[in-house]
C-alpha cells in the first residue's frame, strides 16, 4: 500500500488488486506494492482506453446529470420501496462501491443475497473452519509445490503467479490451461468429479503414509469419518468416473512427498449445485495431509477480503432475494450498479425479458449489453477521478486510490450519489469520505489464517453429472480469459471443441441445454477435453444455456450444472 498522493488502485474484479502510480498522464505499476511489483496487465491498459460514459440518457435521449438525478428521485418517491430492486455487480471492487447500498436499504428497497462468483466454495470453507481466509502470501512463496486446482492461476492472478513462477506445479483441470502446460503433472479430470478425486487422493495419502497425525489430533473433527468415506469404494472404480489414472495419482504423491505444499483453489470446482460440499471435500483432503497452519504452504481460495474489518456501510434491508434468481420483471424500478447481468447472469433470455418489463436505471462507467435495456442511464465517475481503496480476495495487501484526474462534471461518484439521495429523502448523511477511507487505510488485520478446528466433511451427497450424461452430450465449461475481465473489454460468441468431436473451425452451431439454446461459432482446440464444450466467461451467448436456479447452500449461481448438445445450424 502506497501513501503516495498519485497512487491509484486497479478497480477490476481480480485477485491481484494492483496499485498503480499516476504521473504525466500515465499509469505505471507501483513498485511499493509487493504483488504489483512494478507491472500492470493488458486489462488495465484496456481500462485506460475505455470510452467512459460522460452523459446521462433518458430513453436514449441525452439529458443533463441534474435532470437524470431528479428523475431518479421522482421515480423512487413514486414507487413502492419493496418494488424497487437494488442490484450491484462487481465491475468495480473498491470499498466505496458499497455506499449506495446504504441508501437503498434505508429506503426499503429489495437487495440481493448470494453470488454469481465464489459463493458455493466460500460456504464450503466456512462450514469446515468458521471463516474463509487465505494464508499470507509469504506462505505461498515459501512452499515447494503448488497444486493448481480448478483455477487458471497464471491468467486470473498473473502477479501472484509471477511471485512463484519457478515452483513445481501440479494442475487439476479438464482444460489444458497455460499453467497445466507448465506443470509437472496435469490431471485432466472429468468436470464435477473433484470430490471423488479428493477421496481417492486421501486413500492414497493413507497408503503413502503422508497424513498429518499431529494436525488431525489437535485440530480436526470427523477425520475418521472422512477417511471411512474415502475407503468406501474400490480405488480402481475412481479411474472411470474421474478420468484420472492410478498411475497419475502415484506420480502426484512422488511429487509432493516431503515437500511444502500449497493448493491454489479456483472457481472451477464449485460452479455446481453441491459446490460447497465439493470444496469442503478438497479442504478435508488438504487437512488430512496437513498443509494448514504451517509457516509454508496452505490453501488459497477467493478469501473474504473484508475479514477482520468492520463494515463501514452496514445495512439492514427489509428484504433480500437470491442474486442468480432475480426476476427483474417483478419490480417496478430496477437500479443496476456496476454490473452487466444481460451477459453475466444466468439464463440470459429470462434476464432480458425481465429488463424489458421494468423501469431500469443503469449506473455504470461504460455502456454495455445491459444498458441497452435501460430507461435511465446515469454515468458513474471513472476510477481515476474518485477516491477509493481496494482490499483483495487473493492476498493481504491493500491498494489506495486517489482522485488523480479532474472528474467530468456530467458524472457522479457512488459516494456523491448516495449523499444526494440521502439529502433528497432527508436521511442521515454518510460519514465523511476521507474518514471512511482512513478507517481502511489504518486498520491492521491480524493474521487470521490459522485454523482452530477443521470439521472434516463426513458425508457426501452429490448427484454426479457423469451419471446423467448421455453419449451425445457435453459438459459445459466456462473460464476467464487473459484479455478481458468478465464481460468487459472483449466478448465473442465462440465455443472451443476438441478436434475429435468431428466439428470444424468456423462451423456455425446450435447448442442446446434443458434451459435454453443459442448459436455459436466453433474453434477447434486440442486443449479442451473431448467431452467438454468450453467458452470464455463474457461470451455473449453462454448464459442462454445456464440455469438461474440457486446452488444447494449459498444462494449462488451454478453455471456448470448443465449438459449440452451441439448440432450444425
Ligand atoms: N484476466 C482475467 N482475470 C480475472 C478475471 C477475468 O475475467 N479475466 N475474472 C476475475 C474473477 S471475477 C474471478 S471470480 C477470478 C476467477 O478465477 P479462476 O478461479 O481462475 O476462475 P475460472 O477461470 O472461472 O475457472 C478456473 C478453472 O477451472 C476449470 N474447471 C472448470 N470446471 C472444472 C471442474 O469441474 N473441476 C476442476 N478441477 N476444474 C474445473 C476451468 O477449466 C478453469 O481453468 O478471476 C479473476 N481474474
Ligand atoms: N457462464 C458464466 N457466467 C459467469 C461467470 C462464468 O464463469 N461463467 N463468471 C461469473 C463471475 S465470477 C462474476 S464475478 C460475474 C461478473 O459479472 P458482473 O458483476 O455483471 O460484471 P461485468 O460483466 O464485468 O460488468 C461490469 C460493468 O460494471 C460497470 N462498471 C465498471 N466500473 C464501474 C464503476 O466504477 N462504477 C459503476 N457504477 N459501474 C462500473 C461497467 O459498466 C461494466 O460494464 O459474472 C459471472 N458470470
Ligand atoms: S492483474 Fe488484475 S488487478 Fe492487476 S492490473 Fe491487471 S486486472 Fe488490475
Ligand atoms: Mo468473479
Amino acid at each position: 500500500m502506497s501513501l503516495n498522493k498519485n497512487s491509484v488502485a486497479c478497480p477490476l474484479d481480480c485477485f491481484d488488486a494492483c496499485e498503480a502510480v499516476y504521473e504525466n498522464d500515465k499509469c505505471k505499476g507501483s513498485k511499493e506494492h509487493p504483488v504489483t511489483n512494478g507491472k500492470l496487465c493488458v486489462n488495465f491498459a484496456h481500462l485506460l482506453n475505455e470510452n467512459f460514459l460522460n452523459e446521462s440518457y433518458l430513453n436514449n435521449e441525452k439529458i443533463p446529470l441534474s435532470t437524470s438525478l431528479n428523475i431518479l428521485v421522482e421515480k423512487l418517491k413514486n414507487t413502492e420501496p419493496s418494488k424497487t430492486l437494488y442490484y450491484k455487480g462487481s465491475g468495480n471492487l473498491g470499498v466505496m462501491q458499497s455506499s449506495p447500498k446504504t441508501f437503498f436499504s434505508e429506503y426499503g428497497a429489495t437487495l440481493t443475497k448470494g453470488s454469481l462468483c465464489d459463493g458455493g466454495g466460500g460456504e464450503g470453507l466456512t462450514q469446515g473452519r468458521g471463516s474463509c481466509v487465505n494464508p499470507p502470501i509469504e506462505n505461498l512463496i515459501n512452499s515447494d509445490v503448488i497444486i493448481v486446482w480448478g483455477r487458471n492461476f497464471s491468467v486470473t492472478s498473473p502477479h501472484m503467479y509471477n511471485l512463484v513462477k519457478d515452483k513445481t506445479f501440479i494442475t487439476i483441470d479438464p482444460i489444458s490451461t497455460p499453467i497445466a502446460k507448465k506443470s509437472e503433472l496435469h490431471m485432466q479430470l472429468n468436470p464435477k468429479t473433484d470430490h471423488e478425486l479428493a477421496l481417492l487422493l486421501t486413500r492414497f495419502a493413507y497408503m503413502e503414509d503422508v497424513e498429518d497425525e499431529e494436525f488431525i489430533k489437535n485440530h480436526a473433527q470427523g477425520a475418521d469419518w472422512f477417511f471411512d468415506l474415502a475407503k468406501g469404494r474400490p480405488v480402481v472404480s475412481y479411474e472411470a468416473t474421474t478420468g484420472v489414472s492410478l498411475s497419475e495419482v502415484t506420480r502426484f504423491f512422488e511429487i509432493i512427498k516431503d515437500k511444502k505444499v500449497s493448493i491454489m483453489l479456483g472457481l472451477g470446482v464449485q460452479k455446481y449445485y453441491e459446490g460447497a460440499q465439493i470444496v469442503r471435500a478438497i479442504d478435508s483432503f488438504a487437512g488430512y495431509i496437513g498443509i494448514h497452519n504451517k509457516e509454508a504452504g496452505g490453501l488459497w481460495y477467493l478469501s473474504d477480503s473484508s475479514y477482520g474489518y468492520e463494515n463501514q456501510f452496514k445495512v439492514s434491508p427489509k428484504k433480500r432475494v437470491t442474486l442468480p434468481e432475480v426476476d427483474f420483471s417483478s419490480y417496478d424500478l430496477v437500479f443496476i450498479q456496476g454490473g452487466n447481468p444481460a451477459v453475466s447472469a444466468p439464463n440470459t433470455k429470462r434476464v432480458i425479458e425481465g429488463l424489458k418489463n421494468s423501469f431500469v436505471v443503469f449506473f455504470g462507467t461504460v455502456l454495455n449489453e445491459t444498458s441497452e435495456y435501460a430507461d435511465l442511464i446515469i454515468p458513474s465517475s471513472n476510477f481515476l477521478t474518485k477516491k477509493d481503496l481496494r482490499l483483495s480476495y487473493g492476498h493481504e495487501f491493500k491498494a489506495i486510490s486517489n482522485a488523480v484526474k479532474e472528474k467530468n462534471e456530467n458524472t457522479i461518484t457512488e459516494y456523491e450519489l448516495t449523499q444526494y439521495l440521502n439529502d433528497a429523502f432527508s436521511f442521515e448523511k454518510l460519514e465523511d469520505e476521507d474518514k471512511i477511507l482512513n478507517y481502511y487505510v489504518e486498520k491492521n488485520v491480524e493474521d487470521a489464517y490459522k485454523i482452530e478446528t477443521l470439521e472434516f466433511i463426513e458425508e457426501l451427497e452429490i448427484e454426479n453429472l457423469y451419471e446423467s450424461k448421455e453419449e451425445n452430450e457435453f459438459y459445459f465449461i466456462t473460464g476467464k480469459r487473459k484479455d478481458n475481465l468478465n464481460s468487459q473489454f472483449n466478448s465473442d460468441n465462440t465455443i472451443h471443441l476438441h478436434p475429435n468431436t468431428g466439428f470444424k473451425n468456423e462451423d456455425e452451431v446450435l447448442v442446446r441445454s434443458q434451459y435454453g439454446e443459442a448459436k455459436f461459432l466453433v474453434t477447434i482446440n486440442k486443449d479442451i477435453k473431448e467431452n467438454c464444450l468450453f467458452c470464455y466467461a463474457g461470451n455473449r451467448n453462454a448464459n442462454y444455456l445456464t440455469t438461474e436456479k440457486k446452488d444447494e447452500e449459498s444462494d449462488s449461481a451454478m453455471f456448470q450444472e448443465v449438459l449440452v448438445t451441439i448440432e450444425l445450424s
Side-chain angles (χ1 to χ4, degrees):
M1 172 174 75
S2 159
L3 296 173
N4 182 330
K5 284 257 169 309
N6 290 327
S7 78
V8 179
C10 175
L12 296 172
D13 182 350
C14 166
F15 291 93
D16 288 353
C18 292
E19 191 171 70
V21 181
Y22 185 81
E23 266 169 16
N24 306 326
D25 217 19
K26 282 204 175 72
C27 279
K28 284 197 200 124
S30 159
K31 294 197 171 116
E32 285 171 50
H33 189 272
V35 174
T36 310
N37 200 10
K39 290 188 209 77
L40 296 166
C41 79
V42 56
N43 283 318
F44 193 89
H46 289 319
L47 181 62
L48 292 173
N49 286 330
E50 280 284 66
N51 192 6
F52 288 119
L53 246 179
N54 288 324
E55 304 281 355
S56 297
Y57 294 87
L58 178 68
N59 301 327
N60 296 322
E61 300 272 334
K62 277 185 197 170
I63 52 170
L65 177 65
S66 56
T67 313
S68 73
L69 297 176
N70 282 334
I71 296 170
L72 175 60
V73 169
E74 270 318 293
K75 270 279 164 195
L76 285 163
K77 289 202 161 148
N78 293 317
T79 304
E80 154 69 32
S82 68
K83 295 288 252 175
T84 300
L85 175 75
Y86 172 74
Y87 182 104
K88 181 177 160 304
S90 58
N92 176 326
L93 284 195
V95 296
M96 297 309 281
Q97 285 292 311
S98 292
S99 39
K101 202 186 279 179
T102 59
F103 164 79
F104 282 95
S105 167
E106 170 92 26
Y107 160 79
T110 299
L111 271 55
T112 62
K113 60 184 170 185
S115 127
L116 299 184
C117 178
D118 59 333
E123 172 65 25
L125 290 181
T126 308
Q127 284 175 2
R129 10 149 132 190
S131 64
C132 178
V133 188
N134 288 334
I137 212 75
E138 208 50 37
N139 277 43
L140 181 68
I141 295 172
N142 291 337
S143 59
D144 308 312
V145 177
I146 301 179
I147 302 166
V148 179
W149 200 328
R151 177 155 161 178
N152 195 355
F153 183 38
S154 58
V155 168
T156 56
S157 31
H159 293 83
M160 285 174 65
Y161 167 68
N162 225 15
L163 297 173
V164 292
K165 61 179 187 309
D166 298 325
K167 308 276 177 199
T168 302
F169 290 97
I170 296 173
T171 295
I172 304 173
D173 199 304
I175 311 298
S176 181
T177 55
I179 191 67
K181 292 197 172 73
K182 264 209 56 180
S183 293
E184 208 45 48
L185 172 68
H186 174 201
M187 296 170 137
Q188 195 163 12
L189 84 176
N190 288 320
K192 205 186 178 184
T193 58
D194 299 86
H195 51 296
E196 295 199 1
L197 183 62
L199 294 180
L200 176 60
L201 292 174
T202 303
R203 184 76 179 271
F204 266 68
Y206 175 77
M207 298 193 296
E208 302 273 340
D209 209 16
V210 294
E211 84 264 30
D212 183 341
E213 284 165 12
E214 203 266 339
F215 179 83
I216 293 173
K217 184 159 160 275
N218 297 320
H219 299 283
Q221 256 176 27
D224 289 349
W225 287 87
F226 177 66
F227 184 62
D228 280 349
L229 262 186
K231 274 194 319 204
R233 253 174 71 175
V235 282
V236 285
S237 72
Y238 289 108
E239 276 193 323
T241 55
T242 62
V244 174
S245 69
L246 297 184
S247 59
E248 288 173 284
V249 177
T250 306
R251 180 79 192 110
F252 179 96
F253 283 97
E254 283 167 10
I255 299 171
I256 69 161
K257 189 135 197 165
D258 299 324
K259 294 289 195 300
K260 294 173 226 149
V261 177
S262 292
I263 297 181
M264 295 308 271
L265 189 59
L267 283 195
V269 301
Q270 55 96 66
K271 298 178 184 181
Y272 304 105
Y273 180 67
E274 307 89 342
Q277 289 190 53
I278 296 171
V279 162
R280 217 175 141 193
I282 294 170
D283 200 32
S284 298
F285 161 68
Y288 195 78
I289 61 168
I291 69 170
H292 299 315
N293 291 2
K294 301 285 178 333
E295 298 310 312
L299 182 143
W300 282 257
Y301 178 61
L302 286 83
S303 90
D304 172 0
S305 60
S306 59
Y307 188 85
Y309 293 89
E310 199 180 319
N311 192 344
Q312 300 299 293
F313 301 104
K314 283 204 196 74
V315 294
S316 44
K318 292 208 174 63
K319 191 172 172 210
R320 284 189 191 268
V321 289
T322 298
L323 183 62
E325 294 185 347
V326 157
D327 176 8
F328 291 106
S329 71
S330 63
Y331 300 91
D332 295 335
L333 177 59
V334 169
F335 183 92
I336 297 176
Q337 172 195 332
N340 191 7
V343 172
S344 297
N347 199 340
T348 307
K349 186 162 178 259
R350 177 173 177 270
V351 169
I352 289 176
E353 278 163 12
L355 292 172
K356 282 183 182 160
N357 283 312
S358 58
F359 188 92
V360 175
V361 182
F362 175 82
F363 180 43
T365 46
V366 289
L367 296 175
N368 61 24
E369 288 79 357
T370 302
S371 63
E372 281 177 36
Y373 302 96
D375 299 278
L376 180 67
I377 295 178
I378 304 177
S380 160
S381 311
N382 76 65
F383 77 111
L384 293 172
T385 66
K386 59 190 174 196
K387 294 182 194 172
D388 215 328
L389 181 140
R390 259 210 77 179
L391 305 170
S392 162
Y393 53 78
H395 55 71
E396 67 271 26
F397 306 103
K398 319 173 203 185
I400 298 181
S401 225
N402 294 284
V404 292
K405 276 178 84 165
E406 192 85 14
K407 90 180 171 107
N408 183 302
E409 61 188 22
N410 296 319
T411 69
I412 184 164
T413 71
E414 283 68 19
Y415 180 84
E416 289 165 344
L417 178 71
T418 312
Q419 291 293 48
Y420 180 91
L421 293 171
N422 281 341
D423 199 40
F425 282 76
S426 307
F427 294 169
E428 204 178 314
K429 274 189 183 325
L430 283 175
E431 281 275 19
D432 179 66
E433 192 172 23
D434 288 328
K435 198 166 163 207
I436 296 172
L437 286 168
N438 270 337
Y439 167 79
Y440 289 103
V441 172
E442 279 163 17
K443 173 81 186 165
N444 272 323
V445 176
E446 312 238 324
D447 273 350
Y449 75 98
K450 294 257 166 90
I451 296 169
E452 197 89 11
T453 311
L454 182 70
E455 285 185 37
F456 281 57
I457 192 158
E458 297 178 358
E459 213 179 324
L460 279 168
E461 258 183 68
I462 295 182
E463 270 194 46
N464 295 305
L465 271 177
Y466 63 70
E467 283 177 71
S468 48
K469 184 177 166 303
E470 304 284 341
E471 194 70 13
N472 66 334
E473 286 180 316
F474 291 77
Y475 297 102
F476 180 64
I477 306 297
T478 36
K480 312 298 183 189
R481 83 188 223 199
K482 189 169 176 199
D483 52 0
N484 78 357
L485 216 298
N486 296 325
S487 76
Q488 301 191 67
F489 315 131
N490 275 304
S491 65
D492 60 11
N493 75 335
T494 302
I495 60 169
H496 298 248
L497 295 172
H498 190 273
N500 290 356
T501 55
F503 290 95
K504 300 186 305 296
N505 274 322
E506 306 289 319
D507 273 349
E508 286 178 29
V509 291
L510 180 69
V511 182
R512 282 206 181 97
S513 76
Q514 70 181 107
Y515 309 109
E517 58 181 54
K519 288 188 176 168
F520 297 87
L521 214 56
V522 172
T523 287
I524 295 301
N525 184 341
K526 63 179 183 352
D527 294 339
I528 313 303
K529 200 173 164 83
E530 262 178 68
N531 54 13
C532 297
L533 178 167
F534 176 86
C535 62
Y536 288 120
N539 182 304
R540 282 190 298 278
N541 292 346
N543 282 323
Y544 278 97
L545 305 169
T546 57
T547 175
E548 78 280 7
K549 293 197 189 76
K550 63 179 179 184
D551 72 338
E552 185 177 32
E553 294 180 274
S554 77
D555 288 301
S556 298
M558 42 177 195
F559 291 109
Q560 292 183 184
E561 191 63 53
V562 59
L563 295 162
V564 298
T565 57
I566 311 170
E567 62 190 65
L568 288 171
S569 76

